[in-house]
Amino acid sequence: MDESTRAGQVSRREVLKKGLVGAAGLTVLPAVLAACSSSAATAAAPSGNVSGNLTGTLKIGSNHSDPSEATGMTAINAAFAAATGLTPTMNTVDHNTFQDQINNYLLGTPDDAFTWFSGFRMRFFADKSLATNIDDVWSAVSSNFTSAFATAVTGNDSHIYGIPVDYYPWCVFYRKSLFSDKGYTVPSTWADFITLCKKMQTDGLTPIAFSDKDGWPAMGTFDILNLRLNGYDFHVGLMTGANKWTDPKVTAVFQQWAQLIPFYTSGFAGLTWQQACDTLVSKKAGLFFLGLFMTGEVATVDKTAVADIDFFPFPFLGNSYDAEAALDAPIDIWMLSAKSPSLTADLINAKAYMNFWAKGSTQVLMYKANNGFIPTANDADSSTYDVLTKKAVSIVSAAKKITQFMDRDTRPDFAGANGMQSFLLSFLGNPTQDLAALQASIQAFWDALPAYVVAPVPTPAPTAS
Amino acid sequence: MSAWAVAGQGTTHNRARRRLKRAGLHVFLIVLAFIFMWPLLYALYTSLRPYGEIVANPTGPFSLPATLNLDNYFSVWNAQNMLGFYWNTAVITIPAVILTLWISSMLAFTISKFSWRFNLLVLMIFTAGNLLPPQVIIVPLRLVYLHLPLPAPLSDNGLMYDQFTGLILIHTTFQTGFCTFVLSNYMKTLSKELIEAAQIDGAGIFTIYRRVVLPLCTPAIAALATLLSVWIYNDFFWALLLFKSGDKRPITAALNNLSGAFFTNPTQLAAVSVMAAVPTIVLYLILQRFFVTGLTLGATKS
């Protein structure tokens, strides 16, 4: 679907909903539109279609503070201005502060639209009425996304709260040259994986580069082992509190994990992921399980090494859940705030901006600025993708289920430094400890958290208009 | 030296011992100075090195340099709107310092030079306010800022929140207590006769304040101005919590812009930290004299 065909679309439901404004919209044709004043644009954009001349203002909050991402944002805003005549006012706050202050930000005077994450973190604010639903925009663009993305942006109330714009998968990374030098092959089963690790160990390598100083990297391994061993439904249930941490299935995850720990980098609790990544680059370590964003660090250390990086999905365990091929692939989204003082006036502009981000052509602009952001839209031009991205896309599209990473799938106070981060570190420090006691303390921690009603993951809202 | 000799203890043995002691003292002072300078020197050293080199080296940031250049400074300067952040700092710091000194000098004058029913109580309240950790009031303060309207020239969104005005006011509020305390102590040392003489000459209260007391307080005010500038310049807390807009941040809070989502380049961060520290260091070097006076102000009563 391109812009010109979309421009004339006004769905029946929206016409009815918007009453008089919609009635004006019925008469709008793309040719008329260009000549028309602001009222035509108002009428044409109930579902946020990007067309015509938008008037007024649009304030957007962005966490894209890294120089490459900021370049991407500038390009996208310029493209939006070219399409609509409206230049968004951008407020860029660095990623970590943006994340730390999101609650204050949304409760205060937020911008109209803002960058955020899908999954629990999105639903959390939707449930608190701090986000505006964009069902009408979604009904216009949903055909451009797979069902896994639709699930990721659906709130507990079955309304749509975000536009998925990029994602990155978690995989096992390695250096091709190291594998060919030593005659290693990519393992597909757990047994192969362990054999490979043992072989690397005898070759004097650290088989698996691992780090957990920041607390979150270990979560990735827990997620994937739980998905492989117990399946998507159990994992999501565990993250949302429907399943108990004392379940023997969780014990099995820890036991499976314990087999890997002897192959980890020594002293990993004090290492940052960058340091672990550097051992992969310098070929001191053989494998590294992390998100695709690790290529950024590789490029910083040694630009020539990027072409030598390859990856494979975490090995399968030979059970019924192999068919799910599930993995963590965190999705970044754009949302509309609720408390923005200017949102009422800017709503049409903000929805047009959401619609604009749902286009592959927009998302590719960000991808061009930073290869870590893989577009989510079906119509994104994949001819510009590099080898790693193409592979990531094939792995993610083969996945029947996608999770968002533990700290995005569960409540923040549970995933935080006092919660799972420290429980996982405690396990990693002493894998042979009394697992039942550890699991009981995790469950006790969950139970002691202040009540927050967590509904199970909803089915996507009907998207037909 | 001569004092020792006169006292009859100037034997060579004693002199050697004294020399040894002096050398020991100097070694101690040099070591101490080095420890104090260490973070700054280390930041300076790190900022001059390329990140790739640190990573490639097995001893990492502690390794000896192969390359030392200013690339990090140039890349940060070009990538970030550093001048804008310095300007933001100036817009906050300069009015806050002036306002604080103006208010607290008037308060101190009233408290120290006039005897009225509550002057001790008022002084106690201002001093007590000084003891309150600012973090305690952040939640209510934020709500107040979100609900208190502020008209147009002072605010571009009609609120105290996310405004330079709001930040200037909160700095003024928190610093006034300390300044009042120091200035009132200082003003108490001024002789009563001066003021009485001025009164006899027909000076009103404002004339006494402006023409007699303020000029006499110049050393104290200069010292306080130095201290305040450094304190407000170094503020990170208020700027982070009361600003929503990334481009309104002062230089200290803007340092955060360099922490990436997944990746932080420590050499660039070191470069921008050094850049952020330079104005305070320069200020200190120029106004050293006042700085020391400032720290001992109110410590003794003459």
Side-chain angles (χ1 to χ4, degrees):
Chain A
M1 193 188 285
D2 64 20
E3 281 177 37
S4 57
T5 58
R6 218 180 253 165
Q9 271 187 3
V10 177
S11 76
R12 204 177 128 79
R13 194 181 67 178
E14 278 124 25
V15 169
L16 294 173
K17 203 157 55 184
K18 295 278 170 176
L20 282 175
V21 180
L26 276 175
T27 65
V28 171
L29 292 168
V32 181
L33 201 68
C36 267
S37 64
S38 64
S39 66
T42 311
S47 61
N49 285 341
V50 183
S51 57
N53 300 314
L54 295 175
T55 54
T57 59
L58 171 60
K59 292 180 179 143
I60 58 170
S62 160
N63 64 2
H64 293 292
S65 56
D66 293 17
S68 62
E69 300 170 38
T71 313
M73 283 304 300
T74 311
I76 287 165
N77 288 339
F80 183 73
T84 63
L86 177 72
T87 305
T89 314
M90 183 161 65
N91 171 26
T92 306
V93 172
D94 73 88
H95 201 278
N96 295 323
T97 308
F98 192 87
Q99 204 157 317
D100 291 346
Q101 299 192 331
I102 185 72
N103 204 37
N104 288 345
Y105 173 72
L106 292 178
L107 278 165
T109 57
D111 303 295
D112 302 327
F114 63 101
T115 49
W116 195 232
F117 313 111
S118 68
F120 187 94
R121 287 188 176 187
M122 180 201 78
R123 291 187 200 111
F124 185 80
F125 293 113
D127 287 348
K128 291 186 163 188
S129 302
L130 292 174
T132 302
N133 84 59
I134 49 168
D135 293 352
D136 46 359
V137 178
W138 188 250
S139 65
V141 303
S142 63
S143 60
N144 208 10
F145 297 95
T146 62
S147 65
F149 287 123
T151 313
V153 293
T154 309
N156 290 325
D157 56 2
S158 295
H159 289 295
I160 303 288
Y161 286 97
I163 297 290
V165 292
D166 63 71
Y167 67 95
Y168 55 87
W170 275 63
C171 295
V172 185
F173 292 84
Y174 65 94
R175 283 196 74 154
K176 286 186 276 192
S177 59
L178 182 76
F179 267 49
S180 60
D181 287 353
K182 306 260 181 184
Y184 300 144
T185 50
V186 169
S188 58
T189 67
W190 182 261
D192 289 350
F193 191 59
I194 298 291
T195 314
L196 176 64
C197 287
K198 283 185 177 152
K199 206 171 158 202
M200 285 176 167
Q201 214 159 31
T202 54
D203 289 345
L205 294 171
T206 300
I208 304 173
F210 190 81
S211 66
D212 200 32
K213 190 185 179 187
D214 303 316
W216 55 263
M219 293 174 169
T221 310
F222 181 90
D223 286 352
I224 193 72
L225 284 171
N226 198 24
L227 288 168
R228 290 277 188 271
L229 271 176
N230 303 318
Y232 174 82
D233 290 334
F234 179 81
H235 181 69
V236 170
L238 191 64
M239 293 299 116
T240 53
N243 295 325
K244 299 280 175 206
W245 284 86
T246 46
D247 196 302
K249 287 178 168 181
V250 179
T251 321
V253 172
F254 283 127
Q255 284 165 344
Q256 190 86 13
W257 197 351
Q259 298 179 41
L260 291 182
I261 296 172
F263 303 122
Y264 282 170
T265 316
S266 60
F268 56 77
L271 296 179
T272 63
W273 73 261
Q274 287 96 334
Q275 289 169 313
C277 183
D278 298 343
T279 63
L280 185 84
V281 176
S282 56
K283 298 190 186 177
K284 287 184 198 114
L287 303 166
F288 188 35
F289 181 63
L290 209 81
L292 187 61
F293 56 82
M294 63 79 80
T295 52
E297 167 74 4
V298 176
T300 316
V301 179
D302 181 0
K303 273 207 168 62
T304 55
V306 182
D308 194 35
I309 296 285
D310 202 354
F311 59 89
F312 55 87
F314 196 84
F316 293 93
L317 301 180
N319 58 28
S320 60
Y321 299 116
D322 287 1
E324 286 183 350
L327 81 166
D328 272 337
I331 302 166
D332 296 326
I333 63 173
W334 273 91
M335 293 176 73
L336 293 192
S337 66
K339 294 204 170 224
S340 162
S342 51
L343 186 65
T344 321
D346 297 345
L347 192 60
I348 284 159
N349 301 344
K351 286 189 172 175
Y353 196 67
M354 295 288 104
N355 190 312
F356 193 67
W357 265 102
K359 295 171 191 296
S361 53
T362 309
Q363 297 176 1
V364 165
L365 290 176
M366 185 54 108
Y367 174 77
K368 278 182 185 155
N370 185 324
N371 285 9
F373 295 91
I374 306 177
T376 55
N378 292 334
D379 68 349
D381 177 13
S382 57
S383 64
T384 54
Y385 292 179
D386 60 23
V387 188
L388 287 183
T389 310
K390 280 183 179 148
K391 193 162 185 177
V393 170
S394 72
I395 288 175
V396 172
S397 39
K400 304 274 182 304
K401 303 285 183 186
I402 296 174
T403 48
Q404 301 296 308
F405 202 73
M406 186 185 286
D407 64 8
R408 299 189 188 195
D409 282 328
T410 190
R411 43 189 297 176
D413 45 3
F414 179 69
N418 299 323
M420 280 313 288
Q421 288 191 8
S422 68
F423 288 125
L424 291 182
L425 271 172
S426 142
F427 164 74
L428 288 165
N430 181 11
T432 54
Q433 66 182 283
D434 181 0
L435 289 177
L438 176 69
Q439 289 172 249
S441 55
I442 298 176
Q443 187 59 42
F445 182 78
W446 176 278
D447 293 337
L449 291 174
Y452 170 74
V453 184
V454 182
V457 177
T459 49
T463 50
S465 55
Chain B
M1 187 63 99
S2 61
W4 285 86
V6 169
Q9 293 171 358
T11 63
T12 37
H13 174 69
N14 271 349
R15 209 172 284 162
R17 234 177 61 178
R18 262 193 60 245
R19 283 233 174 92
L20 202 69
K21 268 188 177 171
R22 259 208 118 71
L25 179 71
H26 274 99
V27 169
F28 172 74
L29 287 176
I30 288 166
V31 169
L32 207 64
F34 187 71
I35 291 173
F36 269 78
M37 294 283 283
W38 172 249
L40 191 67
L41 293 176
Y42 191 47
L44 194 64
Y45 175 58
T46 311
S47 69
L48 295 172
R49 306 185 61 190
Y51 180 58
E53 186 186 310
I54 292 181
V55 172
N57 215 306
T59 43
F62 298 103
S63 52
L64 289 172
T67 336
L68 286 178
N69 57 35
L70 292 172
D71 284 359
N72 286 318
Y73 289 87
F74 289 117
S75 59
V76 167
W77 188 272
N78 293 331
Q80 303 281 338
N81 179 17
M82 295 294 285
L83 269 183
F85 292 130
Y86 278 125
W87 171 249
N88 291 346
T89 295
V91 166
I92 295 164
T93 309
I94 295 168
V97 169
I98 293 171
L99 202 60
T100 308
L101 290 175
W102 182 55
I103 293 174
S104 58
S105 62
M106 295 219 290
L107 255 166
F109 176 62
T110 324
I111 289 167
S112 59
K113 290 295 160 208
F114 296 92
S115 187
W116 44 291
R117 203 180 177 135
F118 298 112
N119 71 347
L120 195 64
L121 184 74
V122 169
L123 182 63
M124 277 167 69
I125 289 171
F126 273 94
T127 317
N130 207 30
L131 302 174
L132 185 76
Q135 289 85 348
V136 170
I137 62 153
I138 184 60
V139 175
L141 183 81
R142 201 172 161 283
L143 289 175
V144 166
Y145 268 44
L146 275 172
H147 289 99
L148 210 63
L150 198 65
L154 296 170
S155 163
D156 61 17
N157 64 356
L159 297 172
M160 295 271 280
Y161 179 67
D162 198 31
Q163 296 303 322
F164 289 125
T165 321
L167 214 66
I168 292 166
L169 281 181
I170 192 66
H171 278 305
T172 308
T173 313
F174 263 91
Q175 303 299 352
T176 302
F178 172 75
C179 291
T180 309
F181 176 71
V182 170
L183 281 177
S184 70
N185 274 358
Y186 192 87
M187 286 178 191
K188 274 177 193 157
T189 64
L190 303 177
S191 70
K192 248 192 186 135
E193 289 77 7
L194 270 175
I195 290 166
E196 285 167 358
Q199 273 173 329
I200 288 165
D201 286 345
I205 287 178
F206 271 102
T207 318
I208 298 173
Y209 164 74
R210 212 164 53 81
R211 293 274 176 85
V212 180
V213 174
L214 267 196
L216 286 170
C217 287
T218 318
I221 287 173
L224 282 175
T226 319
L227 283 176
L228 284 178
S229 309
V230 174
W231 286 340
I232 297 173
Y233 182 95
N234 282 338
D235 165 68
F236 182 76
F237 179 71
W238 295 122
L240 211 56
L241 285 165
L242 297 175
F243 272 164
K244 174 194 82 175
S245 306
D247 56 5
K248 281 187 184 170
R249 287 179 180 176
I251 185 89
T252 43
L255 283 183
N256 257 11
N257 285 344
L258 285 176
S259 317
F262 300 112
F263 173 72
T264 302
N265 184 339
T267 55
Q268 283 193 351
L269 195 59
V272 78
S273 307
V274 171
M275 270 150 71
V278 162
T280 41
I281 295 170
V282 169
L283 196 70
Y284 173 76
L285 290 177
I286 296 172
L287 302 170
Q288 241 192 91
R289 191 163 56 90
F290 296 121
F291 215 87
V292 178
T293 340
L295 292 176
T296 51
L297 264 188
T300 51
K301 249 181 165 180
S302 53

